[in-house]
Amino acid sequence: MTVSVVIPIYHSEDTISACIESVLGQTFTDWELILVDDGSTDGSGRICDDYAARDRRIKVVHQENKGRSEARWRGVSLATGEWVCFVDSDDTLPHSALSLLCGSISKTTDIVFGNGYTLRGEERRLIPMSEFRHLAVRGEGTIGVPWGSLYRRRVLTRWMFDVPRRIYNGEDYLFWLRLVFATERAVAVVFEPVYNKGEEHTSNIFMWTSDYCYELNELRKASIPIEMHDDYMLDMLDDRLANLFAVAVCEKKNKWKGSRYYQDIIDDMRISGMKMPMKKRLFFSLPSVRLRKLYSLISNTIR
């Protein structure tokens, strides 16, 4: 078995059939499909069981609700393929997705990154890990989400999925941080589209707070070897500022500006010599959430 496709499922009865069908319709056929029903109380579990009864390549496991990270790890622990591919239950794979991803497999890489077209200005099909780590820490493109890529199963460990349950937005980014520091091998990149993203729910309604981002950043720092923090400080600051932008359109200024999260960013910018661009300073100087939301909608400079 070459690829184990792992799908975590929770209350997905309206989308899971299309998701499974997209795996069944792959032009690449050397795969197994592991469906992890994460405590669904709708018809998701029954739909999974029906598919498994019709195709022996499909395995189903039902568990109490533990969250997406734990569900993915459960799938990995049951996988027998040399490579693992994650798919979310409200998404689908283009017919040639696994063929394109597996076409970049080699003996000298542990990660095949899909949807490489999302990386700004990047055209290489093989990126040294020393460079790819900087992209990962900044969360470039679709680095930071587990779907749409291949991972050699032997490099996936429990640690990569061990995130507090209360961290349910940004946990995928932590997975990537822990992954890229677990191997030294170059990353193969597929530039063709290999993933169809369904309607986004969590990130669209999530209310970012400075307290949440502070905890997320502490987990970020713990995911990067401490002796390498200086090497990746500017990259960490880049992503922390992106988080701060999200906080600033959700939280009142006196709250986030008085937070430890904000103060840590300012302190680290001073130490590293990083300067905030004028347009970003203007954004943060706006007095109300309403004005910052308006500014973020009309300005392409806010990331």
Side-chain angles (χ1 to χ4, degrees), residues 25-278:
Q26 289 298 299
T27 56
F28 179 89
T29 58
D30 188 18
W31 52 260
E32 66 176 354
L33 176 58
I34 302 174
L35 305 173
V36 183
D37 173 22
D38 190 36
S40 300
T41 57
D42 63 357
S44 301
R46 175 186 53 77
I47 294 171
C48 292
D49 289 337
D50 288 346
Y51 272 100
R54 302 198 301 265
D55 194 318
R56 62 183 181 182
R57 296 173 297 176
I58 300 175
K59 303 175 184 177
V60 181
V61 58
H62 303 278
Q63 65 180 29
E64 65 181 60
N65 182 249
K66 296 181 179 181
R68 286 183 303 182
S69 290
E70 285 293 330
R72 289 185 183 120
W73 171 244
R74 183 72 183 277
V76 171
S77 68
L78 296 172
T80 61
E82 183 179 359
W83 293 83
V84 173
C85 175
F86 297 111
V87 182
D88 284 352
S89 59
D90 51 355
D91 303 335
T92 59
L93 295 178
H95 293 317
S96 61
L98 293 182
S99 291
L100 288 168
L101 290 167
C102 290
S104 293
I105 288 176
S106 75
K107 295 180 179 180
T108 58
T109 190
D110 292 327
I111 301 170
V112 179
F113 176 71
N115 292 323
Y117 68 89
T118 64
L119 299 180
R120 295 178 292 182
E122 187 57 70
E123 298 180 353
R124 290 172 294 173
R125 294 272 173 177
L126 197 66
I127 302 177
M129 182 56 77
S130 59
E131 296 180 38
F132 192 85
R133 283 174 179 156
H134 288 281
L135 299 176
V137 176
R138 292 199 302 271
E140 294 284 357
T142 51
I143 305 174
V145 292
W147 42 260
S149 296
L150 283 182
Y151 314 96
R152 198 179 294 274
R153 180 166 57 91
R154 70 185 183 206
V155 304
L156 297 178
T157 65
R158 179 74 183 85
W159 158 244
M160 295 169 190
F161 303 87
D162 187 15
V163 179
R165 181 70 183 276
R166 60 186 175 274
I167 302 296
Y168 61 93
N169 201 0
E171 81 281 11
D172 295 341
Y173 171 72
L174 297 174
F175 161 81
W176 266 99
L177 287 187
R178 295 169 183 184
L179 174 68
V180 296
F181 287 99
T183 177
E184 297 295 330
R185 291 179 168 183
V187 176
V189 181
V190 173
F191 285 89
E192 296 81 0
V194 295
Y195 201 84
N196 297 322
K197 193 76 186 82
E199 183 179 353
E200 185 58 64
H201 299 290
T202 303
S203 62
N204 288 341
I205 64 174
F206 187 78
M207 296 295 291
W208 290 91
T209 70
S210 50
D211 289 342
Y212 186 93
C213 286
Y214 177 79
E215 183 173 10
L216 183 62
N217 187 53
E218 291 300 296
L219 290 165
R220 182 205 323 267
K221 291 190 294 185
S223 299
I224 299 173
I226 190 169
E227 66 273 14
M228 296 184 178
H229 280 195
D230 289 346
D231 296 336
Y232 296 95
M233 179 59 71
L234 292 178
D235 301 311
M236 287 192 279
L237 279 168
D238 188 68
D239 195 68
R240 287 157 69 189
L241 281 171
N243 291 154
L244 183 61
F245 296 151
V247 170
V249 297
C250 295
E251 198 170 66
K252 291 183 178 180
K253 188 173 183 178
N254 62 347
K255 170 64 175 173
W256 59 260
K257 198 164 185 180
S259 70
R260 185 173 178 182
Y261 181 68
Y262 177 77
Q263 190 56 56
D264 282 353
I265 289 175
I266 297 303
D267 289 345
D268 285 342
M269 288 181 69
R270 185 181 302 113
I271 293 169
S272 65
M274 180 179 181
K275 303 294 184 182
M276 191 178 297
M278 177 62 72

